[in-house]
Amino acid sequence: MIDFKSPIGVADSGVGGLSVVRALRSELPHEDILYFGDTANCPYGNKTEEHLLMLSGNMLSFLEKRNAKCIALACNTTSALAPQLRMRIKTPIITIAECAANAVSELDVSAVGVIATKFTIAGGIYNRCIQSAAPGVAVYGIGSANLASLVERGAPDAEIDSEIRLCMDQLLKNAPLKDVILGCTHYPLVMSRFMACYPELNFIDPAPQQAIALRKHLQAEDLLAKPHRAKLTIFTTGDTEAFRAVCKENGFDDTYDMEFFHI
Ligand code: DGL
């Protein structure tokens, strides 16, 4: 049975959703989190819709069976599939792409850039969500085929920088942008590389908006956890030690109660 003690589920193709866990920890510090990182199948961004429905459907069912009271779909790529995914499970799903548009409505801008996976850009979810949250804002998108995989395998800065520059130079050719949304959860994990390559730009991590949306949902449903030392349980289809190392690099240290399982 779902109650306030039930965990929040977080699903992503790999380690990228840790940027969402970081935001959840800050917005909802008492919530237990069950995280599913499908590293064995990462990257999602170059796969077909049919394949993505199968993979993300499996992740969400896994989290639902473990009693998640709601699920943060931390994967922008599969956010576009939310209508089909919501028909497969009963647990409420809050997608990052749908929340990211709220960050744009808080900016006073006429144009915004989005860098994301090829699938996310091709599906136009950011265009649709921004048009509805901030009508009239022009959206310029660029898809990267490689950046999520480079982050997932912890590639050296030089490789990450070169992929960032390849995509961003292309994006900036089309419009003189100041604000760019990192529309793939892997990218905020290398925010420092984006800022080093383009110090004049404002890069937006949408994760805090998703965390706010989850808080509002849990408040409305009277499902907020009571204060206690919260636990982060990570299920990965990849290597647990590699996952643990990425957690450490991103500030998830011993102050967090963490457990890792290979599935
Ligand atoms: N981190 C996911 C996203 O936000 C997927 C990246 C990938 O696996 O290609 O889109």
Side-chain angles (χ1 to χ4, degrees):
M1 200 195 81
I2 296 297
D3 65 15
F4 69 91
K5 287 193 230 96
S6 305
I8 291 175
V10 177
D12 187 60
S13 63
V15 297
L18 290 175
S19 56
V20 170
V21 174
R22 198 162 54 190
L24 286 171
R25 284 296 201 176
S26 149
E27 188 72 27
L28 293 162
H30 306 302
E31 299 294 338
D32 290 334
I33 295 175
L34 297 185
Y35 184 103
F36 192 121
D38 195 8
T39 301
N41 291 301
C42 187
Y44 273 17
N46 308 332
K47 293 186 166 45
T48 62
E49 178 169 332
E50 204 184 10
H51 196 181
L52 289 177
L53 266 176
M54 193 263 285
L55 294 172
S56 46
N58 288 346
M59 285 201 286
L60 300 185
S61 304
F62 179 95
L63 294 170
E64 182 172 69
K65 278 192 200 119
R66 277 155 189 80
N67 217 29
K69 57 187 170 188
C70 66
I71 297 177
L73 186 51
C75 179
N76 290 269
T77 304
T78 49
S79 289
L81 308 177
Q84 293 102 301
L85 293 169
R86 286 184 178 123
M87 287 193 288
R88 292 188 180 196
I89 62 165
K90 290 201 188 83
T91 311
I93 302 170
I94 296 174
T95 77
I96 184 143
E98 287 166 305
C99 301
N102 295 332
V104 179
S105 61
E106 287 172 4
L107 300 169
D108 184 19
V109 293
S110 57
V112 71
V114 180
I115 177 168
T117 65
K118 294 261 183 209
F119 189 96
T120 301
I121 296 299
I125 186 165
Y126 269 88
N127 276 302
R128 290 193 297 282
C129 293
I130 292 172
Q131 282 324 311
S132 115
V137 175
V139 182
Y140 295 86
I142 186 81
S144 164
N146 302 317
L147 191 52
S149 311
L150 293 174
V151 175
E152 187 72 26
R153 72 169 160 83
D157 286 354
E159 271 183 67
I160 304 258
D161 288 3
S162 140
E163 179 67 14
I164 289 175
R165 286 185 196 282
L166 186 73
C167 298
M168 287 300 303
D169 285 353
Q170 182 72 27
L171 181 65
L172 295 170
K173 249 192 231 162
N174 298 330
L177 297 163
K178 285 210 191 73
D179 302 281
V180 179
I181 298 178
L182 301 183
C184 167
T185 42
H186 281 71
Y187 302 172
L189 298 182
V190 290
M191 175 69 99
S192 62
R193 299 320 311 156
F194 277 93
M195 286 165 63
C197 293
Y198 297 90
E200 69 284 11
L201 297 185
N202 173 35
F203 291 103
I204 301 162
D205 172 6
Q209 293 294 337
Q210 191 179 22
I212 290 169
L214 262 98
R215 177 179 49 71
K216 287 184 179 163
H217 168 80
L218 294 178
Q219 265 166 345
E221 300 292 318
D222 205 12
L223 284 175
L224 280 174
K226 309 277 182 274
H228 77 296
R229 185 174 157 95
K231 189 170 160 191
L232 171 60
T233 308
I234 294 192
F235 300 94
T236 174
T237 53
D239 180 58
T240 47
E241 286 318 301
F243 217 107
R244 192 191 295 274
V246 181
C247 287
K248 209 164 181 190
E249 270 164 39
N250 285 283
F252 296 85
D253 54 22
D254 296 340
T255 54
Y256 292 89
D257 249 343
M258 294 192 287
E259 263 194 297
F260 295 80
F261 296 95
H262 176 77
I263 42 158

